[in-house]
Amino acid sequence: MAETFTGTAPGRVNLIGEHTDYNGGMVLPAALSIGLEVTLAPRTDSAVAVTSNGYDAPAIRELSDDAVGEWSDPCVGAIREANALDLLSGGATLDLHSTIPEGSGLSSSAALIVAILKAAREAAGGGPDDVELAIAARRVENYYMGVPCGIMDQMAVALATPGTAMALDTKALSYDLVALPAGFEMAVVHSGLTRKLTDGRYAARKVECDAAKRHFGTEDLCLLDEATVEAVDLDDIPKRRTMHCLTEHARVKYALAAMQACDMDSFGALMNESHASMRDLFEMSLPEIDALVESATEFGALGARLTGGGFGGCIVACLKSGQREAWLAKLLERHPDARFIDAVSAD
Ligand code: GLA
C-alpha cells in the first residue's frame, strides 16, 4: 500500500461581508466544526481516483481532464495545481470524508481543494505557506472550475481557527483572528434550497460589478464613497450593486468594532442591514430565505442574514447562549424545509 498523507479543512460561515471579496473589501468569516478530511496517496501514473463518503461510486479521472460538472472536478483541479506547484508529479488516489453539505454556501468546494493541497504539501515534505495555498486554491476555482469567486472561502478554510472570526482585508490579504464574544453564538440554519456557484447567477453578479468597475475606473468598488456613487449618472443595476459593496464593506468594519466591544446588539443590527442590502441592492436572496431571516429575528435572534454566495443555502443568526433550543423549535416549526447545521461560539 502506497504511503498516504492527510489534509483537513473546516467549512466556514461568513458572519458579514458578502460579495465584497472581489471588490476590494473586507469579510468576516468563521470556521465551522463541520469539515472535511482527505487522505492522499501519490501515484506514478496520471489518474485521479477518488472515493467519497458522499458518493456511492468512485470517480476515476485523468489529470488532463477538463472540468465537466462532476463532483470530482475540484479533485482533478487541485491535483493539477499540486503538480504545477511541484508538490506532486503525477496523479493521486484520494479518499474524502466530508460533513459539509454541498450547495449550502459553507465552502465545501474550497475546503476540498485546500485539504487536497495541504495533503499534497505533506507528501512533498513542505511547500507554500497557507496564504499561498489559499491563493492556489482560488486559482483552481477561477481557472479550472470556471467559478469567478473571490479569496474569502479559501483564506477562511486554510487559516481560520475555531472560536474566532477572521477579519480579512481581501485587498491586502492581511487578517486578524478575533475572538468571538463569550455568551453568544452564531447559528447556521440551512434554508432547504441548494445552490451552485456554477449555476451562473454568481457569475452574473460578477459581470455586473465588472461593468461598474469599468465605469468608476477602479477594481475596488468597496472603497468608493456613497455620495460619489449616488451623484453619478449610471444605470440602476450597476449602481445598486456598487452601493451594496461599499455599504457592506463599511458594515464589516462596524461589525468588527462591535464584536471587539462585545456589543452584539449592534452586531445583530448590522447583520439585519446586511440582509436588507443583499435582498434589495445586490438581489442575491430568495423569498423563502427572506422569510426565514425574518422569523429568525422575530423569534429572538439579535440579527440574522443570508450567508455565502446567495440564491439559496444557509442563514446565520446571532443568538444569546442557551437560547438556541427554543428558538430553533419555533423556527423549524414554521419553516419545515429548514434544518440546523452548526453553531460557532467562543466555547
Ligand atoms: C462565495 C465565493 C466567495 C464570496 C462569497 C460571497 O462563497 O466563493 O468568494 O464572493 O460567495 O460573499
Side-chain angles (χ1 to χ4, degrees):
M1 165 98 187
E3 197 179 354
T4 60
F5 302 89
T6 304
T8 60
R12 68 98 189 89
V13 56
N14 190 22
L15 304 181
I16 193 162
E18 231 63 78
H19 288 261
T20 47
D21 69 339
Y22 54 91
N23 290 304
M26 288 198 65
V27 292
L28 195 63
L32 294 170
S33 66
I34 53 174
L36 187 144
E37 185 173 299
V38 172
T39 322
L40 178 153
R43 299 174 65 114
T44 48
D45 65 9
S46 55
V48 179
V50 198
T51 49
S52 163
N53 69 318
Y55 296 89
D56 289 338
I60 313 284
R61 306 283 300 272
E62 275 296 316
L63 265 183
S64 55
D65 283 356
D66 286 333
V68 287
E70 294 275 319
W71 64 270
S72 53
D73 284 351
C75 301
V76 181
I79 298 298
R80 283 163 70 121
E81 184 67 30
N83 275 269
L85 293 168
D86 276 335
L87 300 175
L88 294 176
S89 51
T93 300
L94 300 170
D95 184 43
L96 320 179
H97 190 273
S98 176
T99 51
I100 313 171
E102 288 179 17
S104 308
L106 303 177
S107 290
S108 57
S109 162
L112 175 54
I113 296 167
V114 165
I116 292 173
L117 291 176
K118 285 193 168 182
R121 184 175 60 188
E122 274 296 305
D129 66 19
D130 287 346
V131 173
E132 288 170 45
L133 220 63
I135 295 169
R138 181 187 180 190
R139 277 199 296 270
V140 175
E141 297 272 11
N142 288 173
Y143 304 121
Y144 183 75
M145 307 281 295
V147 174
C149 64
I151 191 70
M152 165 171 72
D153 301 350
Q154 294 75 15
M155 284 292 286
V157 305
L159 290 139
T161 55
T164 63
M166 175 187 246
L168 170 65
D169 178 334
T170 63
K171 186 171 160 65
L173 275 195
S174 55
Y175 65 93
D176 283 316
L177 295 175
V178 184
L180 294 166
F184 298 92
E185 66 174 20
M186 300 290 179
V188 181
V189 175
H190 200 297
S191 64
L193 303 167
T194 54
R195 56 169 267 277
K196 269 191 161 186
L197 286 189
T198 45
D199 80 358
R201 286 178 288 185
Y202 184 95
R205 291 295 173 276
K206 171 81 169 47
V207 167
E208 291 160 357
C209 289
D210 285 345
K213 287 179 186 186
R214 279 194 300 277
H215 183 89
F216 290 107
T218 176
E219 278 298 303
D220 305 325
L221 296 182
C222 291
L223 306 184
L224 292 168
D225 80 71
E226 202 165 331
T228 310
V229 176
E230 277 294 6
V232 91
D233 183 20
L234 177 64
D235 287 348
D236 182 51
I237 287 194
K239 198 171 197 168
R240 277 192 287 147
R241 306 302 186 243
T242 306
M243 286 303 273
H244 165 78
C245 291
L246 69 92
T247 57
E248 183 76 352
H249 170 65
R251 279 186 291 272
V252 177
K253 292 199 283 182
Y254 294 132
L256 178 59
M259 181 176 270
Q260 284 167 322
C262 293
D263 175 4
M264 296 313 273
D265 284 328
S266 298
F267 192 96
L270 289 158
M271 291 173 90
N272 294 337
E273 283 172 30
S274 167
H275 186 78
S277 179
M278 291 190 284
R279 182 191 62 210
D280 302 335
L281 297 178
F282 214 73
E283 296 179 287
M284 57 184 277
S285 189
L286 297 172
E288 295 86 338
I289 293 185
D290 298 337
L292 189 61
V293 162
E294 262 181 45
S295 302
T297 48
E298 180 188 329
F299 296 141
L302 299 179
R305 60 187 290 282
L306 167 64
T307 182
F311 310 105
C314 293
I315 68 160
V316 56
C318 179
L319 304 175
K320 290 198 175 110
S321 302
Q323 190 188 356
R324 195 203 314 159
E325 206 179 320
W327 174 81
L328 206 52
K330 287 186 218 153
L331 192 69
L332 300 189
E333 191 189 346
R334 186 182 289 174
H335 301 273
D337 291 339
R339 64 182 197 278
F340 174 71
I341 298 284
D342 205 352
V344 288
S345 66
D347 15 80

